[in-house]
Amino acid sequence: MKRDSYFLIFILILVGLALWAILPTDSTRLGRNGFQLGLDLKGGTHLVYQADLSKKDPSQTDEQVMAAVKAKIERRANSYGVTEPLIQISGEKRIVVELPGITDVDAAINIIGQVAQMEIREAHYDSNGNPVLDAEGNTQWFVASALGSDGVTQKELTGKYLKPNAQVVLDQTTNRPQVAFEWNDEGAVLFKAITARNLNKPISIFLDETNIETANVQNEIGAKGVITGLALKDCQNLVIQLNSGSLDVPLTIVQRTDVDATLGSDSLTKSLIAGAIGIGIVIAFMIFYYHLPGVIAATALLIYSALVLAVYKLIPVTLTLPGIAGFIISVGMAVDANVLIFERLKEELRTGRTLHRAVDEGFRRAWPAIRDSNISTFITCAILYWFGSTFGAFMVKGFALTLFLGVAISMFSAVVITRTFISLLIGGGMVKGLSIHEVKKNV
């Protein structure tokens, strides 16, 4: 009795913490965010990129390259203003990017997946000082290089020497937008040497093999420069890419799934209504069929639901429609555990055991079945989660994760919460002659 009282206090504390975590459910009141909704409920885009690791730096491992690309994509997504983006490596060569709530999907894709390798190039001249042209009559450019600060090593001037502080500014003369960038110390040394030898000659800024600006050098330039000739939106996108750094390898989109937020909102409403009706029917059945034990099971079920939702919010778990389905299924499995316990209890009562003894034996005999069935569910969830992670099937992952957590907490609910309530009622003498004895009468 004393141990059960401690368990009851522990359960009440858990319920209080769970309610504190859950409420508010859909706002930022009290400084806490609502539930994190997935793409299918909030709208957005699910992208799967394939990395071309054949273009990586040989000195780096595949894992290092993929981790660097993932970090840069995260910075780009955050800079673009995507709320709660999900970026993760899938398998050896793929990166899954989920962008909930964005409106200009194509712009986001261009920013996130573009390599954004910036290079300073200078024109190629023949022995007479004339620029060398290609077959189409265009100037041939090559990446400009100069001796580094050590005075020995020849280095190409690329975006890796940029400071992450590029910004959009307005030209004071034309009032047109331009991108102001700054080299680090090594970049400044290279840029000064390159501009010094190209006085009154053109140099170009290339981004991913595209010439975005060519200008004649009027003076030696050190640490700072500007890129002009771009529209405001392009300037803003370029700033994001320059500040996040160029991607280490090219990326190709192999899967794109766009989800309408309106469809998600409607589906969420219907799913919640369906879930509430389903749980209500289950509770009504338990109370009708098992009477007082049914009431206990229903109470434990409500506590279980609060605990699960609190865990979803605290981790946090991104709720998708399949994820909600996983939660509802886990509710059913939580009920299954109670049914197993009550049926074992009936069997023990049928053999003539006392109520106290029947409860102990009922829980003891029901436990192996609950344990084994839930372990098989855990294994299934692990396989589904691996499948979703490997092949970018985010819907499957959401279902597997919510079902796994729900089933794990259902074991605690059935074994600890239900048992504590029943033991306290029996120990307090509150069930003598009441409905729990009807379990025996009904068999």
Side-chain angles (χ1 to χ4, degrees), residues 167-180 226 228 230 232 235:
Q167 56 182 329
V168 179
V169 297
L170 294 178
D171 187 308
Q172 295 182 352
T173 303
T174 64
N175 206 34
R176 294 180 62 81
Q178 56 188 16
V179 176
V226 295
T228 62
L230 298 176
L232 176 60
C235 286

Side-chain angles (χ1 to χ4, degrees), residues 390-407:
T390 304
F391 298 100
F394 67 101
M395 296 289 188
V396 176
K397 281 184 59 179
F399 175 82
L401 181 60
T402 56
L403 181 59
F404 182 93
L405 293 174
V407 171

Side-chain angles (χ1 to χ4, degrees), residues 276-290:
I277 293 174
I279 293 175
I281 292 175
V282 169
I283 289 176
F285 169 78
M286 293 295 291
I287 295 175
F288 172 78
Y289 192 77
Y290 289 108

Side-chain angles (χ1 to χ4, degrees), residues 229-276:
L230 298 176
L232 176 60
K233 188 65 178 178
D234 293 333
C235 286
Q236 293 170 335
N237 293 343
L238 181 57
V239 164
I240 293 174
Q241 292 169 333
L242 294 181
N243 289 339
S244 63
S246 61
L247 300 183
D248 299 65
V249 291
L251 299 179
T252 303
I253 294 180
V254 295
Q255 182 183 340
R256 169 178 169 171
T257 305
D258 296 333
V259 182
D260 191 330
T262 303
L263 175 64
S265 177
D266 183 60
S267 299
L268 175 61
T269 302
K270 293 179 179 178
S271 298
L272 292 177
I273 293 174

